[in-house]
């Protein structure tokens, strides 16, 4: 065997292997740099063709999971009874005389119903306007815990009905009572992520796309356990989106643990 030629061949092979490994390492470093550069770039929703409303600030806001249970109502009045297990969890009341609204616009609704909420509905001042359904002629008010609404929850809501004359004729009310914060190290208060970060979560999971319009963003509590006798609610960003095809979608992003699944 010609050891001289064999040695030269081995040297050549090792040289090729080293060159190949060097190239692979270089490509890996380049890809890592690209990823790092991409992640460091600030997402510009305007450049992405996504319209945003004014986003609510949440500087130094800390929240945690809370729990509550449905209150019971007497059958003949809009008030609460301590023996809630024996009573209905919803009260239905006709409004007489009816309340005439100047228009079905947010400011007019709040102005027209403020006095009635405070003076004629038990706990009425604990609710805030959350939605207008012009098709079915309904006005929705969400119950508030602290400063934040209990989102999209038919057990913590007032639903007003109105007619074609913009007259409010009746309401149905539900209420969560005994709301309290959970105990233990696993439920310590955490800082809420900014609204823009919640929108970025939706974008990177392809829930927000070019041509979409975010119509509203609200911070509140969303029920993750909704039973007859009790509920568990977590801090959540509610994001309403008008898709480019005109369809309306609502997403819920965990406000303290954004890695949790989007609802």
């Amino acid at each position: 065997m010609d050891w001289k030629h064999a040695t030269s061949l081995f040297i050549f092979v090792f040289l090729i292997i080293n060159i190949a490994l060097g190239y692979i390492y270089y490509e890996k470093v380049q890809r890592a740099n690209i990823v790092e550069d991409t992640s460091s770039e600030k997402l510009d929703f305007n450049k992405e063709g996504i319209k945003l409303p004014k986003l609510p600030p949440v500087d130094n806001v800390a929240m945690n999971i809370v729990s509550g249970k449905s209150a019971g109502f007497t059958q003949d009045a809009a008030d609460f009874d301590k023996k809630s297990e024996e009573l209905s969890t919803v009260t239905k009341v006709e409004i007489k005389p009816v309340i005439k609204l100047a228009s079905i616009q947010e400011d007019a609704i709040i102005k027209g119903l403020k006095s009635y909420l405070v003076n004629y509905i038990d706990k009425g001042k604990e609710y805030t306007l959350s939605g207008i359904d012009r098709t079915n002629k309904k006005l929705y008010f969400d119950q508030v815990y602290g400063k934040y609404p209990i989102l999209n929850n038919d057990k913590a809501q007032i639903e007003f009905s109105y007619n074609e004359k913009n007259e409010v004729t009746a309401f149905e009310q539900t209420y969560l009572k005994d709301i309290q914060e959970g105990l233990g190290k696993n439920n310590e208060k955490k800082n809420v992520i900014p609204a823009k970060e919640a929108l970025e979560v939706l974008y990177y999971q392809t829930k927000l796309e070019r041509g979409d319009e975010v119509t509203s963003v609200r911070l509140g509590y969303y029920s993750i356990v909704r039973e007859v006798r009790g509920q568990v609610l977590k801090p959540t960003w509610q994001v309403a989106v008008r898709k480019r095809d005109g369809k309306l979608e609502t997403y819920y992003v965990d406000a303290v643990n954004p890695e949790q699944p989007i609802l």
Side-chain angles (χ1 to χ4, degrees), residues 55-59 61 148 237:
L55 301 179
V58 288
D59 296 338
V61 174
Y148 302 102
W237 282 109

Side-chain angles (χ1 to χ4, degrees), residues 83-112:
K83 298 178 181 179
S84 60
E85 295 81 2
E86 302 174 4
L87 303 173
S88 172
T89 58
V90 59
T91 184
K92 301 179 181 181
V93 178
E94 289 188 20
I95 298 176
K96 295 180 180 180
V98 298
I99 302 171
K100 177 69 175 180
L101 300 179
S103 68
I104 306 301
Q105 301 296 329
E106 182 175 347
D107 291 344
I109 293 168
I110 294 172
K111 183 178 179 181

Side-chain angles (χ1 to χ4, degrees), residues 229-249:
R229 292 184 178 273
Q231 296 198 28
V232 177
L233 308 105
K234 69 178 181 179
T236 303
W237 282 109
Q238 181 191 64
V239 182
V241 180
R242 186 182 302 278
K243 307 297 288 184
R244 56 186 173 185
D245 61 1
K247 185 178 180 181
L248 298 176
E249 297 282 1

Side-chain angles (χ1 to χ4, degrees), residues 17-261:
I17 291 174
N18 286 333
I19 292 173
L21 290 175
Y23 178 77
I24 292 171
Y25 176 77
Y26 173 79
E27 287 292 304
K28 184 176 181 180
V29 170
Q30 289 297 104
R31 284 196 298 270
N33 289 336
I34 291 173
V35 170
E36 184 177 349
D37 291 342
T38 302
S39 62
S40 64
E41 291 179 359
K42 291 184 178 181
L43 178 59
D44 189 329
F45 284 98
N46 287 329
K47 290 182 179 179
E48 297 299 326
I50 298 172
K51 296 181 181 179
L52 303 183
K54 183 178 180 181
L55 301 179
V58 288
D59 296 338
N60 301 317
V61 174
M63 300 170 70
N64 59 352
I65 291 176
V66 301
S67 63
K69 57 184 179 181
S70 293
F73 294 86
T74 59
Q75 296 181 357
D76 57 352
D79 59 3
F80 304 112
D81 190 287
K82 292 182 179 180
K83 298 178 181 179
S84 60
E85 295 81 2
E86 302 174 4
L87 303 173
S88 172
T89 58
V90 59
T91 184
K92 301 179 181 181
V93 178
E94 289 188 20
I95 298 176
K96 295 180 180 180
V98 298
I99 302 171
K100 177 69 175 180
L101 300 179
S103 68
I104 306 301
Q105 301 296 329
E106 182 175 347
D107 291 344
I109 293 168
I110 294 172
K111 183 178 179 181
L113 291 176
K114 181 177 180 180
S115 177
Y116 190 84
L117 280 164
V118 172
N119 297 312
Y120 295 97
I121 299 181
D122 196 16
K123 313 293 186 184
K125 62 183 179 181
E126 296 180 23
Y127 293 79
T128 184
L129 180 65
S130 61
I132 303 170
D133 182 350
R134 291 181 172 83
T135 301
N136 297 304
K137 292 184 169 52
K138 303 289 186 182
L139 308 173
Y140 295 97
F141 284 71
D142 287 342
Q143 182 183 337
V144 173
Y145 172 68
K147 297 180 179 179
Y148 302 102
I150 299 173
L151 304 166
N152 189 26
N153 194 316
D154 60 3
K155 299 301 182 184
Q157 192 176 71
I158 297 177
E159 176 191 297
F160 287 98
S161 299
Y162 68 95
N163 59 27
E164 63 280 354
K165 297 179 182 180
N166 294 345
E167 296 171 338
V168 181
T169 59
F171 73 85
E172 295 183 8
Q173 180 186 12
T174 55
Y175 184 81
L176 285 183
K177 69 175 185 177
D178 299 335
I179 298 178
Q180 55 188 341
E181 298 176 2
L183 303 176
K185 292 184 178 180
N186 292 332
N187 194 34
E188 293 179 349
K189 285 189 175 183
K190 297 180 181 179
N191 287 331
V192 170
I193 63 171
K196 188 171 185 291
E197 186 174 332
L199 298 179
E200 290 172 351
V201 170
L202 292 175
Y203 174 83
Y204 287 117
Q205 296 196 29
T206 68
K207 304 299 184 183
L208 278 180
E209 301 175 300
R210 179 173 292 276
D212 291 348
E213 178 184 2
V214 178
T215 58
S216 70
V217 181
R218 292 199 303 161
L219 177 63
Y221 294 92
Y222 188 76
S223 181
I224 53 176
V225 175
R226 192 176 302 188
E227 301 294 338
V228 174
R229 292 184 178 273
Q231 296 198 28
V232 177
L233 308 105
K234 69 178 181 179
T236 303
W237 282 109
Q238 181 191 64
V239 182
V241 180
R242 186 182 302 278
K243 307 297 288 184
R244 56 186 173 185
D245 61 1
K247 185 178 180 181
L248 298 176
E249 297 282 1
T250 302
Y251 301 103
Y252 296 89
V253 180
D254 194 310
V256 294
N257 296 300
E259 70 278 0
Q260 294 296 315

